[in-house]
Amino acid sequence: MLQIERVETYPLLYQLREPYGDANGYKKYRTCFLLRIVTRSGLDGWGECIDWLPTLTVGFEQRIIPFLIGKEATKRLQLVKIISKWHQRAAAGVSMALTEIMAKKAGVSICELWGGRQHQTLPVYASFQSYSQGTEWPKQSVKRVEQAIADGFTQLKVKIGGRTIAEDQAHISALQHLIGEKVHLALDANQSYDAAAALKWEKLFRNWSNLMWLEEPLPMDRTADYKLLRSALSVPLAGGENLQHGRQYLPLLTQAALDLIQPDTMHHDGLDSYRDSLQLARQFGIRVSSHAFDGTLSRLYAVFAHACLPPWSKMEGNGMEPVEWDVMENPFTGLFSLRPVKGVVHVPEGVGLGVEMDAEILKRYRWDGRTYQ
Ligand code: MG
């Protein structure tokens, strides 16, 4: 019997010492919302969602938990479909917990449940929020990047689009001077440009051979402009972190407007739908590098899903696209015992998640229920 007996929730909040941000503004805090579904037989599974904590807490308490109690954990697709109509991001978390329960029931790892890992290790890239308050932000950004390189990362992503193009270009030029051609770099504009603004970067792009991609220069519904930029710029174009299911990628894929898609396990309406988008990329022969800045269990699931994919191309042997790794101040990034070494993580192979959770973090950062901005 895999009847759901109870659901526990763990809303966590951490106030940042200094705000940091991207083209959308500054973050003053980081949050994490975990849930644990326990069956009558004692098997349990963890999930993670992202949204404002009061919204998630009330949604789970008043509607999602009462709905789940007594349901069969084996009916994941049916349950997730219903919850996604109420709160799509809550459904993503529930799908993780129910997936882990099935892996434990079978006595296998998540990768084995999904057909087996094809990679024992995966590359990850260090992901930065480049802006901070005050005029010293470029110096602070360069210092953070220096630290990540000292920690062994060889792939990085930094932000553009939150300052004037001249300021951003000075910042990226300084970074390029520091990191050299051996470190690979992605630039993320968080949908802040129009096509004309993006084209102003081409004079720099054509001199740089280490660029992995330009991410979301424009709003993602501007397919025609993406197509135009893809033919005019000398760097690959990436995007789609906020899309919720495969069909939203179809206009971009069928019109060959992107080189690389970036689905997020928490932004899709369930892990199964997220994995469909990974497969979509493989079917269209384009790359996929999962977005995973907002969470830690969710990032672990991105690692599992990437590990189950075949290599993206014969061009680079067993080469795989990297998964995003948050290197900013964020205690929740250390919640699980998975750590990159020289920019690579070992894919866990134990039963279920196969990694330990730091229960101390759950206690220390428990949100006190007060409203925050
Ligand atoms: Mg992005």
Side-chain angles (χ1 to χ4, degrees), residues 13 46 49 65 107 175 274 309 327:
L13 178 74
W46 289 84
C49 325
I65 294 176
L175 276 182
Y274 158 79
L309 284 179
V327 291

Side-chain angles (χ1 to χ4, degrees), residues 22 125 157 159 188-190 215-216 241 262 291 324:
D22 56 21
Y125 69 84
K157 184 170 90 184
K159 298 295 187 181
D188 184 2
N190 290 90
E215 181 170 324
E216 301 200 332
E241 67 193 48
Q262 300 174 294
H291 179 264
E324 183 169 26

